[in-house]
Amino acid sequence: AVVVVVTVSIAFLSPKLCSAYSFALIVQSQRVPTQLQSIFNRRTHHISTSGALSATEVDQERSGLEENDDYMSYKAIAQSYLSSKFQDCGASGDNCKIARDLEEVKQLLRTVLPPVTKEELEAEVNLVASKIGGKPEDDISESEYLAAVFDNTYWNEAGPFVVKELIFLDCLHQYYYGGEGSRWLSNEDYDELKEQLTWEGSVATTLSSKEAHFITAVASSRRGEPIINDADYEVLKKELWAQDSWVVKRQQDPLERLGLKTFMGYLHRSL
């Protein structure tokens, strides 16, 4: 293993490891992940002389990574995720859908957009649906659905990081609560997604199954489609309070406090 010592902004590291805006990280690995390496190569002098990057600078760094391997991997994972939800093959894997009607597509859209207000959600769902065109009873192909979703306002506005958190949380919840054999991503894609988010400092990868369940329940309720009843929600909330979980306290996650866009930031804004 090669030991690499670097100084890096807190925005790209796990919140559990961070107690200041930047610190020395010892990475024992055969390589530094592409995403961090790109940043180090272009920003080492600035970081060493000026301290942590501002929120604006971090957003600029992220936007500058769009053509690297991690970004292409993100696009492939997002497509696999959207395809799985569109096909909805079930545990057996032999009951896949090859087309959806407009109402079904609208329903899918509601589940893959970041948490926003109900008014914003419906406006965006109708906007995306209008781009697909056709009559309500017409069949919509998977390719038409994928093109429409990738072009939605909130994915473009939020950026890959928020979308990856959304996908990860949905997949995590589906794994624990979606029934046997029901998954939105392959193990390989899920592991790759988790690794990317871990390096980017996402709190999503540190959540317990019950914390992810609570966040998903809140987000689903904001969409007007609750996944648990009020009694079960209160039981879950009390259990997490007893564990001193931050997710029930409406606390900002570390990246949100830095002014960066996160899934939890969107959720907090929608409440």
Side-chain angles (χ1 to χ4, degrees):
V2 177
V3 179
V4 182
V5 180
V6 295
T7 302
V8 59
S9 165
I10 186 176
F12 295 97
L13 299 173
S14 171
K16 285 188 174 180
L17 300 176
C18 300
S19 59
Y21 285 134
S22 59
F23 66 97
L25 170 67
I26 298 179
V27 182
Q28 289 188 311
S29 161
Q30 293 182 351
R31 66 180 181 88
V32 177
T34 305
Q35 185 161 21
L36 288 178
Q37 192 171 25
S38 299
I39 296 169
F40 298 156
N41 289 342
R42 290 182 287 120
R43 303 298 294 187
T44 301
H45 176 71
H46 175 89
I47 294 174
S48 63
T49 59
S50 304
L53 299 177
S54 69
T56 300
E57 288 172 322
V58 171
D59 278 339
Q60 289 172 345
E61 291 299 332
R62 280 195 179 134
S63 65
L65 296 174
E66 290 188 352
E67 297 306 321
N68 73 5
D69 291 341
D70 282 343
Y71 183 76
M72 299 308 294
S73 173
Y74 148 72
K75 290 188 69 175
I77 289 172
Q79 181 168 324
S80 295
Y81 164 74
L82 293 173
S83 293
S84 294
K85 290 181 76 77
F86 183 91
Q87 295 172 10
D88 193 18
C89 297
S92 64
D94 57 4
N95 191 31
C96 302
K97 299 176 176 63
I98 60 173
R100 299 282 197 142
D101 63 33
L102 189 58
E103 284 306 312
E104 288 178 314
V105 166
K106 284 184 175 182
Q107 182 62 25
L108 285 171
L109 283 169
R110 293 185 182 97
T111 69
V112 300
L113 294 176
V116 292
T117 66
K118 292 179 182 179
E119 294 76 16
E120 290 171 329
L121 178 64
E122 289 308 309
E124 182 62 19
V125 166
N126 290 329
L127 176 61
V128 174
S130 69
K131 294 179 180 179
I132 298 175
K135 299 178 181 179
E137 65 273 14
D138 289 346
D139 285 341
I140 298 170
S141 69
E142 182 178 328
S143 61
E144 291 174 312
Y145 161 75
L146 291 175
V149 174
F150 269 109
D151 193 40
N152 82 78
T153 303
Y154 287 106
W155 275 34
N156 289 330
E157 175 190 278
F161 181 75
V162 175
V163 176
K164 285 190 287 189
E165 287 193 313
L166 181 155
I167 294 173
F168 183 85
L169 287 168
D170 195 11
C171 291
L172 184 64
H173 188 269
Q174 183 72 4
Y175 175 78
Y176 283 107
Y177 301 98
E180 185 178 355
S182 180
R183 299 183 181 182
W184 298 138
L185 285 179
S186 66
N187 289 337
E188 181 181 1
D189 283 345
Y190 179 84
D191 290 342
E192 172 64 23
L193 178 62
K194 184 175 182 179
E195 180 181 359
Q196 287 191 26
L197 286 173
T198 298
W199 277 107
E200 290 182 281
S202 171
V203 296
T205 61
T206 70
L207 297 172
S208 68
S209 62
K210 289 187 177 181
E211 286 176 322
H213 189 35
F214 179 83
I215 291 171
T216 303
V218 174
S220 298
S221 178
R222 294 303 300 158
R223 297 184 183 113
E225 300 171 351
I227 58 174
I228 58 176
N229 59 44
D230 291 344
D232 289 340
Y233 173 82
E234 290 301 325
V235 169
L236 177 61
K237 186 175 181 179
K238 287 180 180 178
E239 183 176 350
L240 291 174
W241 266 106
Q243 297 172 1
D244 198 32
S245 172
W246 67 276
V247 302
V248 296
K249 301 176 181 179
R250 294 193 182 182
Q251 293 178 347
Q252 292 183 324
D253 67 57
L255 300 188
E256 188 183 350
R257 289 198 295 271
L258 288 175
L260 303 178
K261 294 174 182 175
T262 68
F263 181 90
M264 290 301 294
Y266 270 85
L267 183 59
H268 291 150
R269 186 178 71 84
S270 73
L271 296 175

